[in-house]
Amino acid sequence: MMQIQLRHLPNLITCIRFILIGPILWALLTKCYPLAFYLFVIAGLSDGLDGLLARFFDWTTPLGALLDPLADKLLLMGSFVVLAYLQQIPAWLTIMVIGRDIWIMGGALLYRYWVGPIDYKPVWISKLNTFFQLVLVSLLIIKLAFFDIPAELIPRIIEAVFVTTLLSFIQYTWMWFWQAAYYLKLASKKLTAKKQKQC
C-alpha cells in the first residue's frame, strides 16, 4: 500500500506545481516581484525533484508523462503573457511562442485522429527552445525583483527564443508531415492488398 502511494509522489509534486502557477502570475501582476521569484524557484525545484524521483525509483506513469510537461508549458505560457503585459517581453514574441505551442498541440491531436497513436518525443531544438524560454523568464523576474540585468543580455536571449521557436516549429511540421504521409501510404497499400485478396 505504501509503495503504491510513494509511486504517485512525483505526480503529487507536479500537481503542486500546477497550484503554484496562479500565485506566481498573481504576484507578477500585483508587482510582488520577490514573492513571484521565490515561488518560481519552488516551482523549478519541484520540477527537478519529481523528475529525479520518477527516474531514480522508476516511478514513471503515463499520467505523469502527460502532466509534467503540461505544467511546465502552462507556467511558461502564463509567464510570457504576464511579462508581455508588463512590457518586459515583446508582444510579438509572446504570440509567436504561444502560437507555436498551439500549433504543435493541435498537430498532435490531428495526427492522433487521422493517422494513429503518436510517439511524442521532444526534439533537441524544442528542448533548447524551452531552456531559452526558462532563462528569459527567470532573468526578467530577477530583474523586476532585485537588480538590473546587463542591458545587452536580455535582447540576446530574446533572439535565441525567436530563432529556436521558429526552428522547432519548422522541424515539428516537417517531421509530422512525413510521418503522416508514410503511414497513410502504408495504410493505402494494406487496403489495396486486402481488396485484391477479396477479388
Side-chain angles (χ1 to χ4, degrees):
M1 185 68 177
M2 181 60 70
Q3 181 64 29
I4 295 175
Q5 293 174 351
L6 288 176
R7 182 172 184 81
H8 292 284
L9 184 57
N11 292 350
L12 177 61
I13 296 173
T14 300
C15 290
I16 293 173
R17 194 157 72 257
F18 271 106
I19 294 172
L20 286 174
I21 294 174
I24 290 171
L25 301 183
W26 173 85
L28 286 172
L29 285 170
T30 56
K31 301 185 179 180
C32 300
Y33 300 130
L35 176 60
F37 170 78
Y38 295 127
L39 292 176
F40 195 80
V41 169
I42 293 173
L45 292 175
S46 73
D47 187 22
L49 179 60
D50 64 17
L52 179 65
L53 290 173
R55 287 189 294 270
F56 187 79
F57 294 105
D58 194 27
W59 289 344
T60 56
T61 63
L63 180 62
L66 174 66
L67 292 181
D68 184 64
L70 181 60
D72 296 339
K73 189 59 64 180
L74 289 177
L75 177 57
L76 280 175
M77 289 175 66
S79 298
F80 262 77
V81 171
V82 172
L83 289 170
Y85 173 78
L86 296 173
Q87 298 183 338
Q88 298 297 315
I89 293 179
W92 61 264
L93 183 64
T94 299
I95 293 171
M96 183 179 183
V97 167
I98 294 177
R100 167 207 174 259
D101 290 336
I102 293 174
W103 174 261
I104 290 175
M105 288 186 289
L109 290 174
L110 288 174
Y111 188 99
R112 175 68 181 84
Y113 180 78
W114 290 106
V115 180
I118 183 169
D119 183 16
Y120 178 79
K121 293 180 180 179
V123 294
W124 69 269
I125 193 65
S126 179
K127 294 181 180 179
L128 188 60
N129 177 246
T130 300
F131 170 76
F132 282 128
Q133 288 184 30
L134 183 60
V135 170
L136 179 59
V137 170
S138 300
L139 287 176
L140 288 174
I141 294 177
I142 291 173
K143 173 189 170 186
L144 291 170
F146 302 113
F147 50 80
D148 287 336
I149 302 296
E152 68 278 2
L153 182 57
I154 298 298
R156 300 292 82 80
I157 302 298
I158 287 176
E159 290 173 1
V161 172
F162 166 75
V163 171
T164 54
T165 298
L166 181 61
L167 290 177
S168 63
F169 170 84
I170 293 171
Q171 186 169 8
Y172 272 114
T173 303
W174 178 265
M175 179 178 66
W176 286 351
F177 172 80
W178 285 110
Q179 282 186 5
Y182 171 77
Y183 285 114
L184 289 175
K185 184 177 181 180
L186 192 63
S188 178
K189 286 183 178 180
K190 288 182 179 179
L191 182 61
T192 301
K194 185 177 180 181
K195 287 182 178 179
Q196 288 176 346
K197 284 183 179 181
Q198 290 175 348
C199 294

